[in-house]
Amino acid sequence: MSATDPYIIEQAYAFFHQKERVYVHSTSEREKDHIEDAIASYVNAMSPALYAVLSEGNDAYLKEHEGFGGQLRDALEKMERMLSGDSAEVQ
């Protein structure tokens, strides 16, 4: 399976999107920490090819508190472009 396999992208996108919707509206640091942990756990088990495309070589991508919210939004935007068939994919 490749990083551009629509099924793999859709699966990751659905999970990330659901978590991001809660994350951006949460006022609870505990809830945000739980979401960060869930996403980090997911990326540790997800398609290595897709993670490589999303992270662009940053091994800490979506795995650390610093910058997490922006990285989550970035990952969603990249997957949206991939799913839409944008030829620029993730540039």
Side-chain angles (χ1 to χ4, degrees):
M1 301 236 160
S2 77
T4 56
D5 183 312
Y7 177 75
I8 289 178
I9 299 166
E10 288 170 1
Q11 187 178 33
Y13 181 84
F15 183 74
F16 285 20
H17 185 265
Q18 184 238 3
K19 297 299 183 193
E20 193 264 349
R21 297 301 351 133
V22 175
Y23 189 86
V24 298
H25 297 291
S26 179
T27 57
S28 167
E29 287 305 313
R30 177 183 248 181
E31 183 174 48
K32 286 183 174 188
D33 287 345
H34 179 72
I35 291 169
E36 290 176 20
D37 289 343
I39 294 287
S41 181
Y42 185 91
V43 300
N44 284 328
M46 74 185 292
S47 159
L50 179 57
Y51 183 73
V53 170
L54 297 177
S55 69
E56 298 176 359
N58 177 359
D59 292 336
Y61 190 79
L62 294 172
K63 296 179 182 178
E64 295 181 358
H65 180 74
E66 187 68 33
F68 178 84
Q71 290 175 355
L72 183 55
R73 185 69 231 149
D74 176 67
L76 286 166
E77 290 169 1
K78 287 175 180 174
M79 287 187 283
E80 287 168 1
R81 288 193 299 273
M82 293 169 83
L83 290 168
S84 74
D86 186 337
S87 61
E89 247 180 58
V90 294
Q91 273 78 43

